[in-house]
Amino acid sequence: MTARRIIPCLDVKDGRVVKGVRFEGHVDMGDAAELAARYRDQGADELVFYDITASPEGRTLDYGWVKNIARLLDIPFSVAGGIRSVEQAGRCLDHGADKVSVNSPALERPELISELADRFGAQCVVVGVDSKRAGDDWFVHQYTGDPTASRGAGRRTLDWIIEAQELGAGEIVLNCMDEDGVRRGYDIAQLTAARARLTIPLVASGGAGEAAHFRDAFQQAGVSGALAASVFHTGSLAIPDLKAFLIQSGVEVRP
């Protein structure tokens, strides 16, 4: 497998980065551009920006904001937030994004995934999946950027990721909602079950609290990348220290 990726996630609301616990109680973490520059300099492999209120509010993200971020970065980044058409995705890519990520809009209209892959190539198409445990299984949720709008999508997570892959997704980001922001580790069981069903890259999201959690996701669940937010935003774990730990643990990462 190629080198594993460390991916800071920036949830953006009104131009500010916010972070909650289990997708609720968002607090301000700083300016998006400043944090992006910090992670670029620390050695992040790529960045993800989510305009978390775009889908619940029925709008798409600000293309000018995407362009401003692109001017800062020399590493890949993806954007998400209410992207519902090939035209909107194309404008994001034209303004400098390397990938577009679709979540709730893909659940509304799954053929969007195929349309994007056919136009831009699967390598540009990420499907984000917000997943929550119910009994012995996991189920997809949508509109999770707004706690008042969040609801179940009526789909089993493991069924949806297979469908998304078949429709042309080039990567799945699995957001394990029960672990989001609590820093007790990624949901290894769910990630392992997902990894077994996919041939495309899988990125873990939700639960990172220390360097060992990243190691476990890579070594035990076999994910291609690990996404995290609060552990980086608060400064409790620096990316250079994390990468040094992973190398010592036998995990291949980019320097």
Side-chain angles (χ1 to χ4, degrees):
M1 182 178 280
T2 57
R4 313 302 176 100
R5 291 171 285 149
I6 304 300
I7 309 170
C9 171
L10 297 90
D11 291 339
V12 180
K13 182 178 182 181
D14 300 324
R16 303 287 294 178
V17 175
V18 298
K19 189 68 187 81
V21 175
R22 294 174 177 151
F23 288 59
E24 297 183 358
H26 293 109
V27 296
D28 189 281
M29 303 300 295
D31 179 75
E34 291 177 3
L35 286 172
R38 179 202 300 175
Y39 298 141
R40 173 203 64 199
D41 295 343
Q42 286 187 354
D45 296 302
E46 46 186 275
L47 297 177
V48 175
F49 297 89
Y50 293 138
D51 184 331
I52 62 171
T53 58
S55 282
E57 293 176 357
R59 60 174 177 81
T60 193
L61 49 79
D62 182 341
Y63 306 116
W65 171 80
V66 175
K67 184 176 182 179
N68 291 337
I69 291 294
R71 289 172 175 163
L72 287 174
L73 299 179
D74 55 4
I75 58 174
F77 73 99
S78 64
V79 296
I83 299 170
R84 288 182 165 83
S85 70
V86 168
E87 179 186 7
Q88 290 172 343
R91 293 187 69 183
C92 290
L93 297 171
D94 288 343
H95 281 78
D98 298 277
K99 304 175 187 178
V100 292
S101 181
V102 290
N103 188 326
S104 295
L107 289 163
E108 297 167 3
R109 196 170 65 86
E111 57 268 29
L112 173 63
I113 301 170
S114 297
E115 293 169 1
L116 296 176
D118 289 345
R119 177 70 176 272
F120 305 113
Q123 76 282 353
C124 292
V125 183
V126 180
V127 173
V129 180
D130 296 331
S131 176
K132 184 178 289 188
R133 178 183 288 276
D136 295 328
D137 207 343
W138 301 280
F139 292 86
V140 181
H141 286 245
Q142 60 190 134
Y143 309 124
T144 55
D146 180 353
T148 65
S150 179
R151 64 173 185 261
R155 292 176 177 266
R156 294 180 65 248
T157 298
L158 299 180
D159 292 339
W160 174 233
I161 63 172
I162 293 171
E163 182 179 350
Q165 176 177 262
E166 292 174 346
L167 286 168
E171 181 170 276
I172 299 291
V173 175
L174 183 53
N175 306 308
C176 302
M177 295 178 67
D178 299 297
E179 304 303 325
D180 180 74
V182 299
R183 301 197 199 183
R184 62 187 181 190
Y186 293 101
D187 186 338
I188 300 299
Q190 184 173 183
L191 291 166
T192 301
R195 177 69 276 164
R197 288 160 173 80
L198 295 173
T199 58
I200 59 177
L202 173 66
V203 175
S205 176
E210 58 185 69
H213 295 156
F214 292 83
R215 177 201 62 202
D216 294 345
F218 291 133
Q219 293 184 338
Q220 297 179 29
V223 300
S224 300
L227 185 151
S230 56
V231 69
F232 295 140
H233 298 340
T234 61
S236 60
L237 181 61
I239 294 173
D241 296 338
L242 170 59
K243 287 195 169 185
F245 172 85
L246 291 172
I247 291 169
Q248 292 171 358
S249 300
V251 177
E252 182 181 354
V253 294
R254 297 181 181 91

